[in-house]
Amino acid sequence: MSPNRLEAFSDGVFAIAITLLVLDIHVPEPVPGTDLAGELGAQWPSYVAYAVSFLTIGIIWINHHAMIRRLREVDHEVLVLNLLLLLFVGVLPFTTALMAAYLKEGAGDHLAAAIYSGSFLAMSIAFAALNWRILFHKPSLMAEALPDARRRAILARGVAGLIPYLLATILAVVSAYVTLAICGAVALFYALPRASGSERKPSPA
Amino acid sequence: MSPNRLEAFSDGVFAIAITLLVLDIHVPEPVPGTDLAGELGAQWPSYVAYAVSFLTIGIIWINHHAMIRRLREVDHEVLVLNLLLLLFVGVLPFTTALMAAYLKEGAGDHLAAAIYSGSFLAMSIAFAALNWRILFHKPSLMAEALPDARRRAILARGVAGLIPYLLATILAVVSAYVTLAICGAVALFYALPRASGSERKPSPA
Amino acid sequence: MSPNRLEAFSDGVFAIAITLLVLDIHVPEPVPGTDLAGELGAQWPSYVAYAVSFLTIGIIWINHHAMIRRLREVDHEVLVLNLLLLLFVGVLPFTTALMAAYLKEGAGDHLAAAIYSGSFLAMSIAFAALNWRILFHKPSLMAEALPDARRRAILARGVAGLIPYLLATILAVVSAYVTLAICGAVALFYALPRASGSERKPSPA
Amino acid sequence: MSPNRLEAFSDGVFAIAITLLVLDIHVPEPVPGTDLAGELGAQWPSYVAYAVSFLTIGIIWINHHAMIRRLREVDHEVLVLNLLLLLFVGVLPFTTALMAAYLKEGAGDHLAAAIYSGSFLAMSIAFAALNWRILFHKPSLMAEALPDARRRAILARGVAGLIPYLLATILAVVSAYVTLAICGAVALFYALPRASGSERKPSPA
């Protein structure tokens, strides 16, 4: 299969998952006496979780393109590992809704936060695993040979990206707010101009 | 990344958001004694909001294509600003449902209307910001150099497009109907034959 | 804009609308004493409506491709008429759910059926209108000139396709079952091997 | 129509169906006294059904690409049979939710399981039927002529793939767990490295 088809299908899943996130933001029932401003304000965790997950999926999509662009063909293993990655992307609308629903609750908030950052962690591990297989075990599939140092650097950046999510998952025992803050900071870090770290272009890819 | 991939992903988000709008139109529960005609008639705000949001997203999609077509490559900043634009597009099924649910209510209608046109305003600002960065700060990414006057004209049209949404958001304090009417008029204006203003072709682009 | 982009975006909306249809098929609540077979059997209108709408959208998608394939470029009017067509396609998950919910009801069934076939009628009118504009008023956009007789034949077939839906909508006053049966027969007619009428290939297109 | 467009539309339906699966995983209501861990744990059938269906759709997508790749053009029959295949793919979010909801129930579990594997069986039959028509009755549409033995081998593999689903559907009378286990084993078998059976590449395709 050509990388183009893999990319088109994956782009579809990314685009749908990112757009389904909005289904977690609920319209308050318009019953008499509703204080709409109050109700909308009270569900601020939904807006924050929406924004963080939207940016995170968007950044994974950008990085996914950079990863697949290095291939000139894909084999069965790449297809299956990519499917595993998409499986974790597909689960994000659920974990995002879970995070939003429990952030302010007195019970379940730590668990919901751990599952939220845990789903980002699982997605990042699947991404790094796929990248590792491509970079170090599929030279015949790659569009052009990369020097060893370059391949190590790419993988190291990916693995470094796991650490904040691991931290966020562990710190869920302290506070769900800390977990959400870390996940949001990661998204902002990669989105900010100077921080296009995971696919910077100074060295040729 | 090539503009084609950016466009394909964005098209996916536009297509999904535009199609998810229908989930806000509800089938009345078929309980004995239901007056279906009455129930369906009573939810006319849902149909109007559906049509207005559908047309608006469709027009933004057309303009988005014209904007991206000017590029021969995209960089990290374009990707992230585009993601921000999509984030506001993705939120429209929620703000449309909110508008439809509260238009006829005695309370919350002004706020819902302000949020509705506010989401169009935010989307348009993100669009104009991306266009501004492309036209005035990314000459190296553009497919062909545009004369300064031409670039100013394109941006001016985009900024002019913000004004009705700003007005609609302010006038939500007067009446939610006024807000909806302005948003609908904007959609019709751009859809009508003579009014293909934002991307007319007399002058070469 | 190139026809390819128009087609890709339209394909997205067709694919999403066709796949959203399944959200109208509900899983019966697993409460003690549930007779699952009976509950699933009782919602057979949902399965029939799903199949009829799925096939109908699929056939419109096939015909849409044939229509757009004749173009080498698209203008603002084509874009907007196409958007109108998609607006009616996007509404089908709602009208399908409405039909399924009221088919067996003693009240509202006639109206629901009229709306169901009416939505197919509206979609077909939008389709025929777009085809008419392309065939008779956009010679400069067409990939190759078609003889007048050929153009008339294409349009005549499209207009002929409206008649069953018009009939089905009128006959909704008699029985919702008649309406559903006509819509189903139309879908089967176009799906059956010999009946690829709307885009047969004997004469060159 | 070119195979590319057929594939793009089909990819859209596959991608949407696979991503809609997540809507079946529910966020437990955060009411006081909720034991979130317990509630999330209790809905493990949803996670298993999500993973099994996700992998199964993913593998069908891979095989679909291999099937369509053999064509250089498609005709009306291929389009309609492909639509039938997509109709069964589109139904999977429903049958998956049904399986998840009834797996642990004392009543309805056998039926739900039979419908679950039955929907995979129907999808596989539609797939084999399409492949059979292409391989044995559409030589003029194929990109290159395949030797008879090769065509028989491809079809035999597809038909062999039906047997486990047939077995799983029959064994639903014994236990819903057996059915789910077989469906999961099939997905894993095709996903595992050595088992890329349905489209192995040793002999040229």
Side-chain angles (χ1 to χ4, degrees), chain C residues 7-197:
Chain C
E7 211 164 42
F9 179 73
S10 305
D11 280 8
V13 173
F14 283 119
I16 299 155
I18 217 171
T19 319
L20 284 184
L21 290 171
V22 78
L23 299 185
D24 301 332
I25 308 183
H26 299 292
V27 174
E29 192 80 28
V31 287
T34 304
D35 167 24
L36 183 59
E39 299 249 357
L40 287 177
Q43 65 182 20
W44 65 263
S46 291
Y47 315 137
V48 175
Y50 171 80
V52 171
S53 294
F54 198 103
L55 278 180
T56 304
I57 296 178
I59 288 159
I60 277 281
W61 166 71
I62 296 174
N63 290 341
H64 186 266
H65 176 72
M67 174 169 64
I68 301 302
R69 197 185 37 179
R70 292 190 198 101
L71 295 169
R72 60 171 179 72
E73 223 195 311
V74 298
D75 65 3
H76 185 77
E77 189 187 352
V78 169
L79 286 174
V80 170
L81 283 177
N82 189 67
L83 208 52
L84 201 68
L85 168 60
L86 295 181
L87 186 146
F88 288 118
V89 171
V91 107
L92 293 179
F94 163 69
T95 60
T96 303
L98 188 72
M99 180 69 174
Y102 283 87
L103 180 66
K104 298 192 302 181
E105 297 295 316
D109 51 339
H110 299 291
L111 178 59
I115 292 171
Y116 182 62
S117 55
S119 66
F120 286 146
L121 183 61
M123 179 182 71
S124 305
I125 290 173
F127 189 93
L130 176 51
N131 224 350
W132 170 65
R133 293 300 297 173
I134 290 174
L135 290 168
F136 291 96
H137 296 88
K138 308 279 178 186
S140 66
L141 298 180
M142 294 189 69
E144 60 178 310
L146 291 184
D148 216 57
R150 173 81 186 130
R151 287 184 286 150
R152 276 179 217 281
I154 294 172
L155 191 64
R157 270 207 311 252
V159 173
L162 302 178
I163 297 172
Y165 290 131
L166 185 61
L167 208 70
T169 306
I170 292 168
L171 288 177
V173 301
V174 178
S175 158
Y177 290 96
V178 171
T179 300
L180 183 57
I182 295 175
C183 293
V186 171
L188 280 181
F189 173 79
Y190 283 111
L192 284 181
R194 303 170 316 150
S196 69

Side-chain angles (χ1 to χ4, degrees), chain B residues 102-115:
Chain B
Y102 283 88
L103 180 65
K104 298 192 302 182
E105 297 296 316
D109 52 338
H110 299 291
L111 179 59
I115 292 171

Side-chain angles (χ1 to χ4, degrees), chain A residues 1 5-6 9 12-13 16-17 20 23 76 79-80 83 86-87 90-91 93-94 97-98 101-102 105 107-108 111-112 115, chain D residues 7-8 11 14-16 18-19 22 25-30 34 36-37 40 50 54-55 58 61-62 65 190-192 196:
Chain A
M1 189 185 289
R5 289 232 62 77
L6 175 64
F9 179 73
V13 173
I16 300 155
L20 285 184
L23 299 184
H76 185 76
L79 286 174
V80 170
L83 208 53
L86 295 181
L87 187 146
V91 106
F94 163 69
L98 188 73
Y102 283 88
E105 297 296 315
L111 179 59
I115 292 171
Chain D
E7 211 164 41
D11 279 8
F14 283 119
I16 300 154
I18 217 171
T19 319
V22 77
I25 307 183
H26 300 292
V27 173
E29 193 79 29
T34 303
L36 182 59
L40 288 177
Y50 172 80
F54 199 102
L55 277 180
W61 166 70
I62 296 174
H65 176 73
Y190 284 111
L192 284 181
S196 70

Side-chain angles (χ1 to χ4, degrees), chain B:
Chain B
M1 190 185 289
S2 85
N4 284 351
R5 289 232 61 77
L6 176 65
E7 210 164 40
F9 180 73
S10 305
D11 279 8
V13 173
F14 283 120
I16 299 155
I18 216 172
T19 319
L20 285 184
L21 289 171
V22 78
L23 299 185
D24 301 331
I25 308 183
H26 300 292
V27 173
E29 193 79 28
V31 286
T34 304
D35 167 24
L36 182 58
E39 298 248 358
L40 287 176
Q43 65 182 21
W44 65 263
S46 291
Y47 316 136
V48 175
Y50 171 80
V52 171
S53 294
F54 199 102
L55 277 181
T56 304
I57 296 179
I59 288 159
I60 277 280
W61 167 71
I62 296 173
N63 290 341
H64 185 265
H65 176 73
M67 174 169 64
I68 301 301
R69 195 184 39 179
R70 291 190 200 102
L71 294 170
R72 60 171 179 74
E73 224 195 309
V74 299
D75 65 3
H76 185 76
E77 189 188 353
V78 169
L79 286 174
V80 170
L81 283 177
N82 189 67
L83 208 53
L84 200 71
L85 168 60
L86 295 181
L87 186 146
F88 288 117
V89 171
V91 106
L92 294 179
F94 163 69
T95 59
T96 303
L98 188 73
M99 180 70 175
Y102 283 88
L103 180 65
K104 298 192 302 182
E105 297 296 316
D109 52 338
H110 299 291
L111 179 59
I115 292 171
Y116 182 62
S117 56
S119 64
F120 286 146
L121 183 61
M123 179 182 72
S124 305
I125 290 173
F127 190 93
L130 176 51
N131 224 349
W132 169 64
R133 291 301 295 173
I134 290 173
L135 290 168
F136 291 96
H137 296 87
K138 309 278 178 185
S140 65
L141 298 180
M142 293 189 69
E144 60 178 309
L146 291 183
D148 215 57
R150 173 81 185 130
R151 287 184 285 151
R152 276 180 216 281
I154 294 172
L155 191 64
R157 270 207 311 253
V159 172
L162 302 179
I163 296 171
Y165 290 132
L166 185 61
L167 208 70
T169 306
I170 292 167
L171 288 178
V173 300
V174 178
S175 158
Y177 291 96
V178 171
T179 299
L180 183 58
I182 296 174
C183 293
V186 171
L188 280 181
F189 173 79
Y190 283 112
L192 283 181
R194 304 170 316 151
S196 69
S198 63
E199 281 308 320
R200 224 155 352 140
K201 297 292 282 297
S203 51

